[in-house]
Amino acid sequence: MIVPRLELLLLDFDGVLARYERARRCAHLAAGAGCAPARVMEVLFASGLETAYDSGALSTGDYLRRLSEGLGAPIDEDAWTAARVAACQAEPRILAMVAAVAEQLPVAVLTNNGPLMARAIPRIVPGLFPMLDGRVLCSGMLGGRKPQATVYRQALEQLGARAAATLFVDDLFVNVQGARRAGLQADTVRDARSMRRVLSRYGLPASA
């Protein structure tokens, strides 16, 4: 394989930089709203509300209003963020690798989430800030969701990077395929071992 000269490491968040437990998030919201976790699951996910927000089809205000109405209790940005933070656990070995790579080239995040996630991420992986300030892109900001090619292209435009010189990693192969169709270098990463393998292949620091 001819290894290209990279200009950017673009990272998925959930499943790469942090483990995400949907059930824990629902339980946290349910405790604050005084309802059953199953109700949160229904309102957020079964109804399509979360997907609509992740896709940019809803503003943050409309999303929180519909969530609050569905749960029968007010859910503001602070409550939403607290639940999202409680549902995530950072992957320290991967974070160490990313920090090492950042000494050689820029890094950024592209995640299938609504804009509120940009508020939660600094609290989940504080060690990557201020390095990632202004470099966390949520799909809801871009009007679509991975693996749509337009999402990758808009992300690269905002970051000022070329597709062929960008390495994108995601835990879902369907998103890796989408990135490849958009012209990016891309591979699947689900743990520190696979991250080390991918970084080594591209000549990037892989020790952690």
Side-chain angles (χ1 to χ4, degrees):
M1 181 179 95
I2 299 176
V3 178
R5 182 182 180 88
L6 295 176
E7 299 173 358
L8 174 69
L9 174 62
L10 186 59
L11 303 140
D12 178 35
F13 188 77
D14 294 319
V16 175
L17 295 180
R19 291 194 297 272
Y20 166 49
E21 296 184 33
R22 178 181 287 186
R24 184 183 293 273
R25 178 184 175 195
C26 290
H28 195 283
L29 283 171
C35 64
R39 178 58 182 166
V40 180
M41 189 75 73
E42 178 183 354
V43 172
L44 265 184
F45 302 107
S47 71
L49 178 61
E50 189 81 349
T51 299
Y53 184 52
D54 293 352
S55 302
L58 289 174
S59 69
T60 294
D62 286 342
Y63 167 72
L64 291 175
R65 177 183 56 77
R66 289 174 57 175
L67 177 59
S68 298
E69 290 173 354
L71 300 185
I75 304 295
D76 60 14
E77 291 190 10
D78 288 340
W80 187 97
T81 302
R84 200 55 167 84
V85 171
C88 292
Q89 183 174 356
E91 294 281 10
R93 289 185 295 171
I94 292 181
L95 298 187
M97 292 182 213
V98 171
V101 170
E103 296 181 3
Q104 294 190 11
L105 76 162
V107 299
V109 168
L110 175 60
T111 177
N112 269 353
N113 278 288
L116 275 175
M117 191 60 182
R119 175 176 174 173
I121 286 176
R123 291 180 53 186
I124 300 166
V125 290
L128 295 185
F129 288 82
M131 176 180 69
L132 284 179
D133 280 347
R135 303 183 66 79
V136 173
L137 302 182
C138 300
S139 60
M141 304 171 179
L142 304 175
R145 299 178 84 247
K146 298 177 291 184
Q148 295 171 316
T150 183
V151 171
Y152 303 99
R153 291 174 185 144
Q154 288 190 49
L156 293 180
E157 182 177 352
Q158 290 196 27
L159 294 166
R162 297 179 299 126
T166 296
L167 172 59
F168 171 72
V169 297
D170 198 295
D171 64 314
L172 299 178
F173 185 56
V174 65
N175 292 337
V176 168
Q177 289 177 308
R180 289 174 178 171
R181 287 193 294 269
L184 288 74
Q185 312 294 323
D187 214 327
T188 309
V189 166
R190 295 191 177 94
D191 53 27
R193 181 178 179 181
S194 54
M195 176 67 94
R196 186 177 298 110
R197 170 181 52 79
V198 171
L199 294 180
S200 296
R201 183 183 304 149
Y202 285 87
L204 297 172
S207 60

